[in-house]
């Protein structure tokens, strides 16, 4: 079996949360968001790398020492862009083969079965990206006119986005800095195919203040579901 790795990207800021503290360090049910996120990977990934902006390394180290004192989590410094941050995380994987999941620290509610499915899809096809269908009707701005679009033709992309390690490394080596909002875009720009995996609507990304309230409700739902 191929070894499994995870790179948790904690590069978000608190701007849209109206907070001086980045969203990944805010509390969710008495633990920082990032702690919930990492716990979802502990039993699945053999090496976990957390990418943190340099100015928040001390805060992260305090969290790591409190919540994961016996775990060999590794820390990489974030870059100016997500692309650079992921590159920095990949550098800490001392292997040429394996499966690597790239995940947003601000998605603390991803289910283990979703992570497992993404690893399996990447093993089978090279990539496994979680996604869910749109629920709402959508319109596209064309100038000043909103034009209706068929929502069945679109998917909401989530993380983890999982790849064969050597293929993702090659993709990052090929592309130059540009506007890449996720790793699937980098992988695709290098000529590889993206394979989607059915995600979950519970796997929300905490971005704005109300998302924390939603996350608390989802977390309670998941706990009750597992009892």
């Amino acid at each position: 079996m191929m070894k499994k790795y995870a790179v948790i990207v904690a590069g978000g800021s608190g701007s849209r949360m109206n907070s001086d503290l980045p969203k990944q360090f805010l509390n969710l049910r008495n633990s920082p968001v990032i702690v919930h996120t990492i716990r979802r990977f502990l039993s699945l990934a053999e090496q976990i790398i957390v990418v943190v902006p340099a100015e928040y390394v001390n805060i992260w180290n305090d969290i790591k020492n409190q919540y994961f004192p016996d775990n060999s989590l590794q820390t990489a410094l974030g870059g100016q862009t997500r692309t650079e941050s992921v590159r920095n995380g990949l550098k800490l994987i001392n292997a040429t083969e394996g499966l690597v999941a790239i995940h947003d620290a601000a998605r603390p509610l991803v289910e283990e079965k979703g992570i497992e499915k993404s690893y399996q899809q990447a093993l089978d096809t090279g990539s496994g990206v979680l996604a869910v269908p749109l629920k709402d009707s959508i319109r596209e701005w064309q100038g000043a006119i909103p034009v209706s679009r068929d929502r069945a033709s679109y998917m909401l992309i989530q993380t983890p986005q999982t790849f064969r390690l050597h293929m993702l490394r090659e993709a990052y080596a090929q592309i130059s800095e540009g506007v890449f909002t996720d790793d699937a875009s980098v992988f695709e720009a290098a000529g590889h195919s993206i394979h989607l995996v059915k995600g979950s609507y519970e796997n929300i990304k905490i971005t704005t203040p109300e998302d924390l309230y939603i996350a608390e409700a989802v977390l309670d739902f998941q706990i009750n579901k597992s009892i």
Side-chain angles (χ1 to χ4, degrees):
M1 291 292 293
M2 282 195 175
K3 286 190 175 182
K4 299 181 178 70
Y5 306 92
V7 176
I8 310 295
V9 185
S13 68
S15 58
R16 283 184 286 180
M17 295 295 295
N18 300 321
S19 169
D20 293 332
L21 199 62
K23 54 194 175 184
Q24 60 268 20
F25 300 133
L26 297 176
N27 276 340
L28 171 61
R29 283 286 186 261
N30 301 317
S31 297
V33 167
I34 194 170
V35 170
H36 292 277
T37 305
I38 292 169
R39 283 173 175 163
R40 303 294 171 120
F41 286 85
L42 283 178
S43 65
L44 301 175
E46 298 175 55
Q47 181 182 358
I48 299 176
I49 297 153
V50 182
V51 186
V52 182
E55 61 266 36
Y56 295 108
V57 166
N58 290 338
I59 293 175
W60 159 241
N61 283 335
D62 288 342
I63 291 172
K64 181 175 67 170
N65 293 335
Q66 178 180 351
Y67 290 94
F68 307 104
D70 300 323
N71 195 280
S72 58
L73 298 174
Q74 293 180 272
T75 304
L77 294 183
Q80 295 298 313
T81 64
R82 179 187 172 85
T83 301
E84 187 179 346
S85 294
V86 174
R87 275 201 188 107
N88 291 347
L90 292 174
K91 289 176 183 177
L92 295 187
I93 301 176
N94 295 317
T96 55
E97 295 291 340
L99 303 171
V100 58
I102 314 296
H103 188 66
D104 296 324
R107 289 187 186 270
L109 303 171
V110 61
E111 294 182 288
E112 289 186 3
K113 63 182 180 182
I115 301 171
E116 290 173 335
K117 287 192 296 184
S118 73
Y119 276 124
Q120 185 60 52
Q121 186 67 48
L123 176 64
D124 293 340
T125 65
S127 66
V129 176
L130 293 191
V132 291
L134 276 70
K135 290 184 177 181
D136 300 325
S137 296
I138 60 172
R139 285 180 173 268
E140 177 186 6
W141 284 107
Q142 292 189 357
I145 302 173
V147 179
S148 179
R149 290 288 178 256
D150 180 10
R151 66 185 177 195
S153 299
Y154 298 86
M155 298 287 286
L156 293 174
I157 301 302
Q158 302 178 333
T159 66
Q161 299 182 1
T162 306
F163 310 90
R164 285 189 175 246
L165 177 59
H166 75 278
M167 295 175 71
L168 185 62
R169 274 206 176 116
E170 289 171 0
Y172 268 97
Q174 289 180 33
I175 60 99
S176 57
E177 287 296 329
V179 182
F180 295 101
T181 59
D182 65 358
D183 306 282
S185 300
V186 172
F187 198 72
E188 189 174 45
H192 300 301
S193 297
I194 297 301
H195 298 271
L196 300 183
V197 176
K198 183 179 180 181
S200 168
Y201 292 106
E202 296 173 23
N203 185 19
I204 67 168
K205 185 176 183 180
I206 295 176
T207 305
T208 54
E210 62 270 17
D211 292 334
L212 274 176
Y213 296 106
I214 297 170
E216 288 179 353
V218 173
L219 183 58
D220 289 342
F221 172 75
Q222 290 181 341
I223 292 171
N224 292 330
K225 186 171 60 174
S226 64
I227 296 175

